[in-house]
Amino acid sequence: MALPYSPTPISPSDEVWSVTELISTAKQVVDDGFMPLWVRGEIGQCKVWPSGHWYFNLRDRKSQVRCCMWKRDAERAGSPPKDGAEVFVLARPGIYEAKGEFQLNVYRLIPTAAMGRQQQELERVKAALHQDGLFDPTRKRRIPQFASTIAVVTSTAGAVLRDIVTVSRKRWPCATLLVLDARVQGGGAAGDLSHALALVNRLPKVDLCILGRGGGAREDLAAFNSETVCRALARVRVPTISAVGHETDVSLTDMIADLRAATPSAAAELALADRREVLRQLNDLAARLAGGLTGRTRLAAERLTRTADRLESGASAVLERHREMADRLAAQLDALSPLRILDRGYAVPVAPDGRILKRRSDFVSGSSFRLRVTDGDVRARVE
Amino acid sequence: MTTSIADDLTRLEEIVRKLEADEVELDAALALFEEGVGRLRAARDRLTKATLKVQAVLEEAGDLRLADLDG
């Protein structure tokens, strides 16, 4: 139901809300109106339920608010707070609809006494960054598969750069590392790091940024928890990897970066493709390329054979036609042959010198000649 | 420079896929094969002959300058 911005209704018949409508509308207003926030107060009436949830009040001199902390968050907080303890809670205000109560849903609870000044500052920064959505998982960008130019923000004095160079040389020597030197601990470290990170955005061509330092005492990592460094890191235009300290240390920059690496060497491994892997990929492609062409030529060869077959059968048809024609012509020639005349009973007189005797005057009395008949010669004499 | 290795890999995949799928005439297939071999050779060369470049980014009077560092 919409909020009653219209003039006050005069009678119940104008507009009536159910309690549920009222509470759920109020809940919506509260949900929309508050982000998670840190609240300081004193614990009262803390009760641990068998379910593992904690319920308590948080109060100061003037007001108090109901709080509940779900089992999962309560377990992380350790032992339940004692009544009267001064605490910070990270909570989101809400309405408990069944009772119509305004309450805080508490995610974290830290006794103020347990927190040193630095820790308080860390919590403050974390809350501020959280409020601005810088821990939002949807902000995370993908690390490019083939980074070519990598900006490395670290101290050139430490072993970090050497580790990164060693790994890079082994994995992907095609890369270029652009090193931005910065102090990584002590006064001035936060300023140096923020400045170096800002310079990364001014480099004309860069694919990825690694922010790194080796392990150290918790206090030495303070610069990597500073708000300015975190915000500078969040502003870097290219994907970022934070590699600060050893595996057990997590800094705020680790949470802001697109990817966290346990160590600087691990950062280089995450940042760069592996040359051997790519060479293997190239070998596979080479084999498939050759196979593809062989297959393709085999197809072409088959097509050629089929064409040749067709050609050959065409040619033999032509030959057959010519053979038939030749037979026919031969038969005609045969019919015209003089030998065929002899078949019919005619005979040809031939003189001994081979001359054919055609007239009476060719026949001299007493002379001999040959008479050629169809199957040979017959000797004869003129009377 | 290495982005072209990424390009090479993408193009090689494309060439191989075309050859395997019998999408092209023999002439074109031969040309694709030749291109593929060229790209393979270039990519292998780049990967085996490259040396890592390490440079320091220096800021001088507000301008950025690169200087070689001994890796």
Side-chain angles (χ1 to χ4, degrees), chain A residues 48-375:
Chain A
V48 178
W49 286 81
S51 57
H53 308 323
W54 296 353
Y55 293 89
F56 53 86
N57 290 334
L58 200 62
R59 63 192 176 211
D60 56 18
R61 272 182 296 181
K62 200 169 164 193
S63 307
Q64 71 171 12
V65 60
R66 277 302 286 163
C67 298
C68 85
M69 195 164 181
W70 303 115
K71 183 185 174 196
R72 198 191 52 196
D73 298 316
E75 277 171 352
R76 271 190 298 160
S79 53
K82 292 193 166 52
D83 283 359
E86 185 90 12
V87 295
F88 296 108
V89 295
L90 175 65
R92 183 160 192 160
I95 298 282
Y96 176 38
E97 284 174 285
K99 289 196 170 182
E101 277 180 2
F102 178 82
Q103 68 172 28
L104 291 181
N105 295 308
V106 178
Y107 308 132
R108 298 193 59 193
L109 182 150
I110 303 163
T112 49
M115 283 176 64
R117 253 187 67 234
Q118 195 180 23
Q119 190 64 23
Q120 285 185 36
E121 170 64 6
L122 180 72
E123 294 304 329
R124 184 196 67 75
V125 172
K126 198 185 275 188
L129 299 174
H130 188 277
Q131 185 133 17
D132 290 349
L134 297 189
F135 298 134
D136 188 340
T138 59
R139 277 188 71 250
K140 304 285 183 201
R141 294 164 291 193
R142 280 170 63 91
I143 304 300
Q145 197 187 358
F146 296 105
S148 168
T149 306
I150 298 175
V152 181
V153 174
T154 191
S155 163
T156 49
V160 171
L161 182 61
R162 201 182 55 228
D163 289 350
I164 291 178
V165 167
T166 306
V167 173
S168 305
R169 188 171 284 146
K170 204 169 95 190
R171 277 181 80 87
W172 197 250
C174 320
T176 299
L177 302 182
L178 299 179
V179 184
L180 297 105
D181 188 25
R183 278 171 292 175
V184 292
Q185 66 186 65
D192 275 15
L193 289 167
S194 311
H195 183 66
L197 288 167
L199 290 187
V200 172
N201 284 341
R202 288 178 49 198
L203 292 171
K205 188 188 166 300
V206 60
D207 304 314
L208 182 70
C209 173
I210 296 177
L211 171 66
R213 71 150 286 166
R218 189 164 287 271
E219 291 71 32
D220 288 343
L221 299 176
F224 293 84
N225 288 327
S226 88
E227 189 170 355
T228 51
V229 173
C230 286
R231 290 190 185 279
L233 182 63
R235 276 195 295 269
V236 172
R237 282 198 313 254
V238 292
T240 53
I241 300 180
S242 168
V244 179
H246 293 309
E247 296 193 26
T248 48
D249 301 318
V250 177
S251 65
L252 290 186
T253 53
D254 287 342
M255 294 162 69
I256 295 284
D258 296 301
L259 194 62
R260 177 201 174 221
T263 62
S265 304
E269 284 181 13
L270 292 168
L272 293 165
D274 187 352
R275 166 168 60 165
R276 287 163 303 177
E277 187 55 46
V278 176
L279 280 170
R280 259 198 298 279
Q281 209 175 329
L282 285 173
N283 286 345
D284 284 355
L285 282 167
R288 284 174 60 198
L289 188 67
L293 187 72
T294 314
R296 191 63 196 74
T297 39
R298 191 187 306 123
L299 274 169
E302 282 167 7
R303 200 168 293 167
L304 209 63
T305 314
R306 280 200 301 278
T307 312
D309 287 349
R310 285 213 306 276
L311 248 171
E312 206 175 282
S313 65
S316 47
V318 170
L319 278 174
E320 184 62 25
R321 271 203 308 281
H322 281 102
R323 202 177 54 75
E324 281 169 8
M325 199 182 289
D327 286 353
R328 222 171 32 248
L329 289 170
Q332 282 170 17
L333 269 173
D334 200 34
L336 293 173
S337 161
L339 298 174
R340 302 293 295 174
I341 301 168
L342 300 183
D343 272 353
R344 298 206 291 267
Y346 293 90
V348 180
V350 183
D353 59 0
R355 199 166 36 92
I356 291 176
L357 308 170
K358 296 174 188 169
R359 305 173 191 286
R360 285 169 56 104
S361 57
D362 291 338
F363 294 89
V364 180
S365 182
S367 64
S368 59
F369 64 96
R370 285 178 293 119
L371 203 57
R372 185 175 295 165
V373 292
T374 187
D375 57 348

